[in-house]
Amino acid sequence: MTEPTDTDKLGVPTPPEYTNNQAPSQADKGSGAIESKAKGEPGAPGWERATLEKLAFASLHEQRLARRWRTFVRLAWLVFLVALAWFGFDQSNTSKSVTTPHTAVVEIKGEIASGNEASAELILSSVRAAFEDAGAQAVVLLINSPGGSPVQAGIVNDEIRRLKALHHKPVYAVVEESCASAAYYIAVSADKIYVDKASIVGSIGVLMDGFGFTGLMDKLGIERRLMTAGENKGFLDPFSPQTERQREYAQAMLNQIHQQFIAAVKIGRGSRLKEDSDTFSGLFWSGQQAIELGLADQLGSVDYVAREVVKAEEIIDYTRRDNVAERLVKRFGAALGLVVVQATQSSAVLR
């Protein structure tokens, strides 16, 4: 006989507990498998769900990147077209001459070098526009530069002298903080040079700088392996020794460029220059000293020159700079390249 079992409130008999020697039933085995799946034990099919989730998230990420890329491209093209329209409008305005009497100003700021704002190309483009304007009574070079390329300075000096003779307009240089080396090379093309008493003026010289590491390499046991076709092809290499012949050659070249600079100064300053042993030595002086040495003419600012010398107080700036449209176009190109790189990297990570 079997002992009666307890029943629950619904009248369903409660199964007896298993004894120690009883094997689990088929139902128990099934529940154990379910628990194993839930826990993600090895052998359970739970990894399939995780893999599908990863694939789904990766697909969503790619779709999101694609939407962002399409949106960026559309906005970028819109900005680009607006910039082009703005650039065209700005150019049409700046191309018009100012016919009323005024003083034309061209700024020369920063290092004088190709590709900079103070390059021969941009300076001369501005200067030509100033000379060609019938209302410009004179051209003022507003200079604040430590110098730069003698090639760029020589091009500007020669062209300004040609334009003066062609248009018969006076040119004045006004120095702010500094007018040294290549900047002074340009300044001497002016009819007069005005300075502040504390301006830095001069540095009439030429240099070629570099480093030599041959002694350090010998101490560290480093061997330089440089192959050239031509005996002197690598004579400016900082890791190779420099021969006396090479040094003399470089010095002769510097001396020749220095003489070109000196000749330009003498032509520009003429009898006003009080030459001594230091004049062309590369030294620089304050504005007050420069006047005493004949390197400059007198104290004065751009407003003073316009009002008292040119007699045309209205000042018009002819300096050619990157306008807003040009800056937007350049930034557009840089931003587009950056986004392409980021998109490529993201795709590589997803794959």
Side-chain angles (χ1 to χ4, degrees):
M1 295 180 61
T2 58
E3 296 180 0
T5 58
D6 296 333
T7 59
D8 57 13
K9 294 181 180 180
L10 297 175
V12 179
T14 303
E17 296 181 356
Y18 297 122
T19 60
N20 292 336
N21 58 357
Q22 287 179 318
S25 66
Q26 193 66 26
D28 294 328
K29 292 180 180 179
S31 63
I34 293 172
E35 291 177 2
S36 176
K37 292 179 184 178
K39 292 179 180 177
E41 294 178 0
W47 63 273
E48 297 175 355
R49 179 179 178 180
T51 303
L52 289 173
E53 288 178 350
K54 289 180 181 178
L55 290 173
F57 283 129
S59 177
L60 288 173
H61 185 61
E62 287 187 352
Q63 292 175 8
R64 192 179 299 114
L65 284 177
R67 285 197 302 271
R68 289 177 180 174
W69 173 252
R70 286 194 299 270
T71 303
F72 171 79
V73 169
R74 290 167 184 167
L75 289 175
W77 275 111
L78 178 61
V79 171
F80 183 72
L81 293 173
V82 171
L84 286 179
W86 193 343
F87 175 71
F89 177 75
D90 184 79
Q91 289 294 97
S92 64
N93 283 342
T94 55
S95 62
K96 296 178 182 178
S97 296
V98 181
T99 55
T100 57
H102 62 275
T103 299
V105 173
V106 175
E107 291 186 359
I108 301 175
K109 294 192 175 184
E111 182 185 3
I112 298 167
S114 177
N116 288 4
E117 287 195 359
S119 66
E121 178 187 3
L122 294 181
I123 293 172
L124 291 179
S125 175
S126 307
V127 169
R128 290 190 190 104
F131 270 109
E132 291 169 2
D133 194 317
Q137 305 303 297
V139 179
V140 174
L141 306 175
L142 184 59
I143 301 175
N144 184 11
S145 170
S149 166
V151 175
Q152 299 288 304
I155 292 171
V156 174
N157 181 288
D158 292 342
E159 183 63 8
I160 288 178
R161 287 164 54 196
R162 186 189 73 83
L163 291 171
K164 282 197 305 181
L166 179 64
H167 295 279
H168 305 288
K169 288 184 180 181
V171 177
Y172 304 110
V174 175
V175 179
E176 293 185 326
E177 279 81 6
S178 63
C179 178
S181 194
Y184 189 72
Y185 199 151
I186 293 175
V188 295
S189 65
D191 297 299
K192 284 189 176 183
I193 300 175
Y194 294 84
V195 298
D196 183 85
K197 55 184 177 295
S199 299
I200 300 299
V201 181
S203 188
I204 305 171
V206 185
L207 63 84
M208 178 185 293
D209 57 356
F211 297 92
F213 297 97
T214 54
L216 179 62
M217 290 170 63
D218 292 339
K219 291 181 181 179
L220 296 176
I222 300 173
E223 179 186 0
R224 170 65 165 165
R225 295 176 180 175
L226 175 66
M227 295 181 291
T228 63
E231 180 185 355
N232 297 300
K233 184 61 179 177
F235 89 88
L236 291 178
D237 176 50
F239 301 101
S240 301
Q242 188 179 57
T243 66
E244 187 61 31
R245 181 169 174 268
Q246 291 168 344
R247 187 178 293 105
E248 290 175 356
Y249 180 85
Q251 187 61 54
M253 183 177 63
L254 292 176
N255 291 341
Q256 185 181 52
I257 298 172
H258 190 202
Q259 289 303 316
Q260 295 168 1
F261 193 172
I262 292 172
V265 172
K266 288 183 176 181
I267 291 172
R269 300 304 298 166
S271 60
R272 292 170 291 183
L273 186 65
K274 299 176 177 61
E275 184 181 343
D276 59 25
S277 59
D278 291 331
T279 303
F280 305 120
S281 68
L283 285 176
F284 50 85
W285 298 270
S286 68
Q288 186 64 54
Q289 290 173 315
I291 294 172
E292 295 169 1
L293 295 171
L295 296 170
D297 293 287
Q298 65 184 80
L299 301 178
S301 64
V302 64
D303 292 320
Y304 171 83
V305 172
R307 182 180 63 253
E308 303 296 335
V309 181
V310 182
K311 307 297 183 182
E313 292 191 45
E314 183 182 5
I315 296 173
I316 303 297
D317 188 356
Y318 285 77
T319 309
R320 181 181 167 186
R321 302 182 182 87
D322 286 346
N323 60 24
V324 177
E326 290 173 323
R327 288 196 295 269
L328 282 175
V329 170
K330 290 179 180 179
R331 291 179 183 178
F332 168 78
L336 183 61
L338 179 61
V339 171
V340 169
V341 171
Q342 290 176 343
T344 304
Q345 292 175 342
S346 300
S347 299
V349 170
L350 289 174
R351 285 196 295 269

